[in-house]
Amino acid sequence: MNITVDTNTLVSATFWYGDSFKIITMAENKEIDLILSKDIIKEFFGVLHYKEIQEKIKDKNLKMKRTVAKIVSISYIVEPKQRLNVCEDDKDNIVLECAKEGKSKYIITNDEHLLKLKEFEGIKIVTPEEFLRILKIDNKSKQEN
C-alpha cells in the first residue's frame, strides 16, 4: 500500500516514538510503501535545520532517530508532473502532488489544512493515529476471513 506523509510527520518520526515513528518503521520494514517527492524531502531537510529545531535538539538532548538519508533510502521518490493549487496553504500542495503522482492510498498528516479536505481524488487524508487504527481494523478483518 502506497502512503505519503507530510514534513511534520517526518519530523515527529525523527525525534519521538509516537504514531509517526511507528508508520515510518512500517515503511522501513517494507510493510507499506512510503512515497515522497524531492519537494517534500527538501522541505524536511530545511525544517531540520531551522534554528528552533536545532535548539530543541540541544535543549532536550534529542537525538535524530532517522536522518534525511535514511528516510530517502526507505522511500520511493516521485517527480510530480502536475502542479496543484488546491490547499489554503500553498506549501501543502506538494503533498497532494506527491500522493497523486505516487498513487498513494493515504496521506498521513496532522496539518489542519490538509485534514480539512478529508480526501483528494480518492486519496484519504488522515492523522497518524487514524491511519494506525484503520490498519488494525483492516488486519483484523483479513484474519477473520
Side-chain angles (χ1 to χ4, degrees):
M1 169 193 325
N2 291 359
I3 65 154
T4 296
V5 301
D6 67 351
T7 301
N8 207 331
T9 303
L10 291 172
V11 170
S12 292
T14 300
F15 296 108
W16 295 280
Y17 290 107
D19 293 336
S20 298
F21 182 85
K22 290 175 189 169
I23 292 165
I24 300 303
T25 299
M26 291 172 70
E28 204 170 3
N29 295 335
K30 304 286 186 212
E31 297 168 50
I32 54 178
D33 293 322
L34 180 59
I35 309 296
L36 297 177
S37 66
K38 289 179 184 175
D39 288 336
I40 293 173
I41 292 162
K42 183 178 173 183
E43 185 179 66
F44 175 50
F45 182 81
V47 168
L48 290 180
H49 290 87
Y50 284 174
K51 187 178 180 182
E52 66 246 32
I53 296 287
Q54 291 297 311
E55 286 171 1
K56 279 183 186 179
I57 293 169
K58 289 176 189 163
D59 290 348
K60 296 185 181 207
N61 201 22
L62 293 173
K63 299 227 184 315
M64 286 188 10
K65 295 166 187 67
R66 296 193 167 92
T67 62
V68 175
K70 179 66 174 180
I71 294 295
V72 168
S73 76
I74 64 170
S75 303
Y76 295 91
I77 311 301
V78 297
E79 186 89 29
K81 292 171 188 68
Q82 183 183 11
R83 292 291 169 199
L84 299 170
N85 189 14
V86 176
C87 297
E88 287 176 44
D89 183 350
D90 285 343
K91 292 184 290 183
D92 293 333
N93 287 312
I94 65 171
V95 178
L96 299 180
E97 293 163 359
C98 175
K100 182 178 178 178
E101 185 68 34
K103 297 176 176 49
S104 291
K105 187 171 179 179
Y106 291 94
I107 291 172
I108 301 166
T109 181
N110 277 311
D111 183 288
E112 298 172 23
H113 300 112
L114 286 169
L115 289 169
K116 220 187 284 186
L117 295 173
K118 294 185 181 172
E119 193 172 297
F120 172 74
E121 295 191 14
I123 304 164
K124 293 178 181 72
I125 303 172
V126 298
T127 65
E129 181 184 4
E130 289 171 313
F131 179 71
L132 291 174
R133 193 172 33 246
I134 290 164
L135 278 186
K136 200 177 234 181
I137 291 167
D138 282 356
N139 287 337
K140 197 173 186 177
S141 358
K142 286 177 187 171
Q143 289 172 351
E144 289 172 358
N145 291 330

